Amino acid sequence: MSDPLFHLDRQKVYEQVPYFFPDLYEVEYALLDIRKHSHAELQEIRTAAERVGAIFRKAVPLLRELDDNTLIQLGFPSEALAYCRLKTIPQETIIGRLDFVVSHSGIKLMEFNSDTPTFIKEAFQANEYVCNYYGVENPNKSCVDLLRKEMRKAVAASWKHLDRPGTPKIVFTSHGDNIEDLWTTRFLQEHLDLPSEYVSLDQLQVLTEPLEVNGVITDSGLFTPSGERIDILYRQTYPVEHLVNDKDPTTDENIGQELIKLIIEKKVMVINPPSAFLLQSKAVQALIWGLHEDDQYFTAEEHQVIEQYFLPTYLEPDEFLKMNMPYVRKPSFGREGDTVEIFNGAGETIDEEPQKTYVDNLPVYQAFYPLPETEVQTTSGRKQVHLMYGCFLLNDQAGAIGIRAGGAITNNLSYFLPIGIEDRLKG
């Protein structure tokens, strides 16, 4: 039953959060409820994130050495192969998010969104307001400072790589008509706290060849609408696998590939760096698991980490069918549960996401590990949900933790469930 006073409380809490989106797609998104954990439990999640992150970082040099055909077999678009091999700054990814199943039987990695994770504003900012409402400690309180520090380090490293005089022109970009992407990007811009500008993706100007005007030659590059050359482009929410297919609606030029060419030619730097995209394909988890099964590449200690936190992942379902084990099929570059299916050990579908945007993506097959269930308070009453925990990885350090609450497959309609520390659980 809907409670008018609860509606009012929820509205009062979330209207305090600057430029937030408590409702998405005209339905409730941010819950006025909280999931409480002890410091020790939260530290276990952060430890898992840092250990798993180290495994992915160890895989990057190997991925860069793979030939084109192998990278294509791992789902990477052929237009982006030169891009994803680039090593521009020491950090492999600045802001990534590891999605975990967290249950009494352990912590298991579902996937790593290394390149364009969202859920940032919720975990790093909005969570604080709900913790204050419930009078509990916010486990993400110090994470904004770490976020700022790592973003600034990335900007400094990017500027050093360009080796240009003066100070960099920094531009943050996203789809201007997507409220979640827009305010997530503006949140990052605000917390970088360096001179910068926001320009929506459709307003970026790509100059593919040198241009002479009145005897003055302007070299190719990326520019703002007012004609300023962009040195560093922060594109936190725009996936490279979409970028490579971007075309100018007026000229039909492939501006996405032209932008990638500018990055390769060192005309502009991007954050997250290209190496973040190299880790984005879920097929990388199949590569890691295959090396683990063959006892190759990783140290004994690293193999223990893989065994503890990774789920068996393959490019074919044969192993699961052979052992009559339930499994999940997911697209290598899918997002928000789109095109995900759950199968029983006989290969029969037992659950699936109605959205099928990524049917042409290379699929990966992963052991099914059910999400824990609980009951949460929504504006329409109590509701049974499944929980997925996301832990941000800021360079190589664990950051904010957030929870999505929804169905057995977490999708874009899943709720944001805040997380806090209760006094009696602090020990």
Side-chain angles (χ1 to χ4, degrees), residues 3 31 63 107 159 180 222 248 301-302 348 365 411:
D3 179 353
L31 296 174
L63 289 164
I107 299 173
W159 188 230
E180 186 180 3
L222 187 66
D248 187 303
E301 184 179 352
E302 289 164 344
E348 300 163 334
Y365 301 84
N411 62 21

Side-chain angles (χ1 to χ4, degrees), residues 194-206:
L194 291 174
S196 63
E197 181 180 348
Y198 175 84
V199 178
S200 63
L201 281 162
D202 62 319
Q203 295 298 308
L204 294 172
Q205 308 293 311
V206 177

Side-chain angles (χ1 to χ4, degrees), residues 303-341:
H303 280 295
Q304 289 176 358
V305 170
I306 296 169
E307 185 67 33
Q308 180 176 357
Y309 297 117
F310 282 67
L311 289 167
T313 307
Y314 304 98
L315 297 180
E316 299 290 343
D318 303 15
E319 288 297 315
F320 302 119
L321 295 170
K322 191 188 306 179
M323 296 182 287
N324 195 31
M325 282 180 55
Y327 61 93
V328 178
R329 181 172 68 194
K330 53 177 74 173
S332 51
F333 282 104
R335 295 164 192 280
E336 298 280 9
D338 194 325
T339 320
V340 170
E341 289 184 70

Side-chain angles (χ1 to χ4, degrees), residues 79-128:
E79 301 88 347
L81 296 183
Y83 171 86
C84 65
R85 286 196 181 98
L86 286 178
K87 176 66 173 172
T88 55
I89 60 176
Q91 304 94 318
E92 303 295 2
T93 182
I94 311 308
I95 305 175
R97 192 193 70 237
L98 294 147
D99 291 336
F100 292 114
V101 183
V102 179
S103 66
H104 294 301
S105 55
I107 299 173
K108 291 293 184 182
L109 173 72
M110 297 178 72
E111 58 195 56
F112 184 23
N113 191 332
S114 57
D115 191 39
T116 53
T118 52
F119 205 49
I120 294 169
K121 193 169 173 68
E122 296 92 316
F124 284 89
Q125 186 180 48
N127 198 77
E128 172 83 11

Side-chain angles (χ1 to χ4, degrees), residues 76-210:
F76 292 97
S78 58
E79 301 88 347
L81 296 183
Y83 171 86
C84 65
R85 286 196 181 98
L86 286 178
K87 176 66 173 172
T88 55
I89 60 176
Q91 304 94 318
E92 303 295 2
T93 182
I94 311 308
I95 305 175
R97 192 193 70 237
L98 294 147
D99 291 336
F100 292 114
V101 183
V102 179
S103 66
H104 294 301
S105 55
I107 299 173
K108 291 293 184 182
L109 173 72
M110 297 178 72
E111 58 195 56
F112 184 23
N113 191 332
S114 57
D115 191 39
T116 53
T118 52
F119 205 49
I120 294 169
K121 193 169 173 68
E122 296 92 316
F124 284 89
Q125 186 180 48
N127 198 77
E128 172 83 11
Y129 292 82
V130 180
C131 285
N132 291 342
Y133 174 81
Y134 284 102
V136 299
E137 184 181 347
N138 175 20
N140 300 333
K141 193 172 183 68
S142 64
C143 294
V144 172
D145 292 335
L146 178 61
L147 177 68
R148 180 183 295 107
K149 184 181 89 169
E150 291 302 333
M151 288 171 66
R152 286 185 165 200
K153 280 168 60 178
V155 166
S158 298
W159 188 230
K160 182 180 179 181
H161 183 77
L162 283 177
D163 193 26
R164 292 176 184 167
T167 57
K169 175 66 180 180
I170 305 168
V171 166
F172 284 76
T173 192
S174 72
H175 285 294
D177 57 355
N178 183 306
I179 188 171
E180 186 180 3
D181 288 0
L182 171 62
W183 293 123
T184 295
T185 302
R186 296 302 291 261
F187 170 78
L188 293 173
Q189 181 186 7
E190 175 191 345
H191 285 82
L192 174 66
D193 198 23
L194 291 174
S196 63
E197 181 180 348
Y198 175 84
V199 178
S200 63
L201 281 162
D202 62 319
Q203 295 298 308
L204 294 172
Q205 308 293 311
V206 177
L207 182 61
T208 58
E209 301 291 340

